[in-house]
Amino acid sequence: MNAVVVAVCLMLGLSLARVNVVIALTISALIAGLVGGMDLQQTVDAFNTGLGGGAQIALSYALLGAFAVALSHSGLTTLISNKVISALGKNHNSTNMNRVRWMLLISILAMAVSSQNLLPIHIAFIPILIPPLLHVMAKLKLDRRLVACVLTFGLVTTYMILPVGFGGIFLNDILLANLNSNNLHAVREQIPTAMLIPALGMITGLLIAVFFSYRKPRDYEEELILAAEPEEGVNTRNIAIAAVAIVSTLAVQLITGSMIFGALIGFIIFSFSGALKHVADQDVFTQGVRMMANIGFIMISAAGFAAVVKETGDVGSLVSSLSEIIGDNKALAAFLMLLVGLLITMGIGSSFSTIPIIATIYVPLAISFGFSVTATIALVGTAAALGDAGSPASDSTLGPTAGLNADGQHDHIRDSVIPTFIHYNIPLLVFGWIAAMVL
């Protein structure tokens, strides 16, 4: 049995059975090593070595959590909520509710898209922007699963199709470079064209989520939201300090390329400005770290899991075994290549890390089946993106959960992972296959 298939299926099964994702990843990593022919000590060593790969993002989340809690005590979150709620008017009629609902969803989508290219801060904005809006969402009875789908769409589709910011890294620095290093001879202009059809799959999934799956109202306990997001008075000085802290955080992150130092600067500004004098700095920091601790530990565990999976060598054997199953069926070849990409990315949790693994084997395989250059680009690019939405260990699902679960009413697996898996991975499989067959 292939260690990758066993490990990913076990990890997903344990997660669906409500086993903590950290435990599910750790157990699955152990089983992956043993099934892959490694002994217990080799598996543990590989897992421990991989843990360091998740430390940076875990610390980033912890500091962003502290910064987000500091913002909540500045009065800025109260101001944002009051402004949006005031847009509903005194009479919460259906017309006002729908208008504000659409305004909120479009604004969140625009921020998610911008975070990948115009202002490449990735998921750093989510713990800051989303928690203050939870009270508004509860008033609107807005299903948070829809918000998770909107956020994930912006985070994933943008880098799949727009060669700017993170999209430039994914499409040009990683996808194009790895394709050409395996003798495909693709040019930069072919990449966005090849990824256009798969991106239409993401758009289809978003439309289904908005207009069908999650259009009905969903109730949330406002008491829990208020308990998680303390009501603060609106103080002009504190609001100004919060604005300076946010701008400084974004500027430092863009200059250094580090969410850690960006969030740290923001928190330091709050600490020395006196905006948090009514609460202890240590209490704010502890609350923020506690809020993000689970997300951080998932990222650390995911890095260990990915290291064990790579160490087994079964990723290559899984892809190589495709040729024995496929025969000369080109349509089946495209589908299985995409399906295997889904398994690999869901296990590793990063489409950016998947491309170097699969391109080495996929490119020669695609050429042998007679796929064109653009079809091969679509196959490898889609195979890598598959699973980014829908993986328990992906930034694209962990980020939305970090913001939407600030009050404990948004389950990571059932409210982020499953909805994004259904609405994005299934359409991506279909549209990615169509792209491979028609390009």
Side-chain angles (χ1 to χ4, degrees):
M1 297 182 68
N2 188 277
V4 178
V5 177
V6 172
V8 172
C9 290
L10 178 60
M11 182 263 292
L12 295 176
L14 290 173
S15 297
L16 290 173
R18 290 189 177 276
V19 174
N20 185 277
V21 179
V22 175
I23 297 174
L25 284 165
T26 305
I27 293 174
S28 301
L30 177 63
I31 299 300
L34 298 178
V35 172
M38 301 164 62
D39 60 34
L40 182 60
Q41 189 59 51
Q42 289 174 320
T43 302
V44 172
D45 289 343
F47 184 80
N48 289 339
T49 300
L51 292 180
Q56 178 180 344
I57 191 65
L59 183 56
S60 300
Y61 270 112
L63 288 171
L64 281 172
F67 182 51
V69 172
L71 278 176
S72 73
H73 285 286
S74 72
L76 181 62
T77 57
T78 301
L79 179 64
I80 293 173
S81 295
N82 290 343
K83 288 290 185 182
V84 180
I85 291 174
S86 67
L88 293 173
K90 293 182 179 179
N91 298 318
H92 296 175
N93 56 60
S94 59
T95 302
N96 279 346
M97 295 277 278
N98 283 331
R99 178 172 59 85
V100 176
R101 183 176 186 268
W102 280 108
M103 179 184 72
L104 189 62
L105 289 174
I106 291 172
S107 299
I108 291 172
L109 176 60
M111 188 64 221
V113 170
S114 300
S115 72
Q116 300 301 297
N117 48 38
L118 295 179
L119 192 64
I121 56 175
H122 195 33
I123 56 172
F125 76 97
I126 297 177
I128 299 169
L129 176 69
I130 298 301
L133 298 175
L134 294 181
H135 189 220
V136 178
M137 294 178 194
K139 290 285 186 185
L140 296 170
K141 296 187 176 181
L142 183 63
D143 196 325
R144 294 185 194 177
R145 293 173 296 180
L146 173 57
V147 180
C149 287
V150 169
L151 285 167
T152 299
F153 174 87
L155 294 172
V156 175
T157 311
T158 308
Y159 74 69
M160 284 178 58
I161 194 67
L162 296 177
V164 182
F166 286 107
I169 296 172
F170 179 80
L171 296 175
N172 298 325
D173 298 347
I174 299 179
L175 179 58
L176 181 62
N178 279 276
L179 291 172
N180 286 339
S181 66
N182 288 283
N183 302 313
L184 183 65
H185 307 298
V187 295
R188 181 170 296 192
E189 290 73 19
Q190 292 175 301
I191 303 289
T193 304
M195 294 301 293
L196 180 60
I197 295 177
L200 291 177
M202 296 291 293
I203 295 173
T204 301
L206 177 65
L207 294 176
I208 292 172
V210 171
F211 292 107
F212 295 98
S213 303
Y214 306 123
R215 63 184 179 85
K216 293 182 179 179
R218 194 181 193 194
D219 293 318
Y220 294 90
E221 294 291 335
E222 291 194 50
E223 293 79 8
L224 295 176
I225 300 173
L226 295 174
E229 194 69 31
E231 187 76 13
E232 297 283 343
V234 177
N235 180 292
T236 304
R237 178 179 177 275
N238 288 350
I239 297 298
I241 292 170
V244 171
I246 291 173
V247 172
S248 301
T249 296
L250 297 179
V252 171
Q253 183 181 331
L254 291 175
I255 293 171
T256 65
S258 170
M259 286 193 293
I260 294 175
F261 289 102
L264 181 62
I265 289 297
F267 188 80
I268 288 173
I269 290 173
F270 273 117
S271 297
F272 287 94
S273 66
L276 302 177
K277 61 183 178 181
H278 58 297
V279 291
D281 287 357
Q282 189 61 41
D283 289 343
V284 171
F285 189 84
T286 302
Q287 289 174 35
V289 172
R290 186 186 302 119
M291 182 174 72
M292 294 298 186
N294 187 51
I295 303 296
F297 281 119
I298 290 175
M299 295 304 298
I300 292 173
S301 302
F305 175 89
V308 174
V309 167
K310 293 175 184 177
E311 190 68 22
T312 63
D314 276 16
V315 173
S317 63
L318 175 62
V319 179
S320 299
S321 65
L322 287 178
S323 56
E324 301 176 9
I325 301 172
I326 295 166
D328 58 354
N329 191 325
K330 188 175 180 180
L332 180 61
F335 176 76
L336 288 180
M337 288 167 74
L338 292 171
L339 187 62
V340 169
L342 170 63
L343 282 172
I344 295 171
T345 308
M346 287 197 73
I348 294 175
S350 170
S351 56
F352 287 66
S353 300
T354 300
I355 287 179
I357 297 173
I358 64 174
T360 304
I361 309 166
Y362 271 32
V363 173
L365 191 61
I367 292 173
S368 69
F369 275 98
F371 287 105
S372 67
V373 172
T374 50
T376 304
I377 294 170
L379 273 173
V380 177
T382 307
L386 271 164
D388 197 358
S391 170
S394 168
D395 280 358
S396 301
T397 56
L398 287 167
T401 298
L404 293 167
N405 194 41
D407 60 353
Q409 296 190 79
H410 184 87
D411 183 76
H412 179 56
I413 298 299
R414 283 168 169 73
D415 296 328
S416 286
V417 172
I418 294 176
T420 55
F421 181 91
I422 293 172
H423 289 89
Y424 297 131
N425 285 329
I426 295 174
L428 263 181
L429 270 173
V430 175
F431 281 77
W433 181 85
I434 292 173
M437 300 307 296
V438 302
L439 290 176

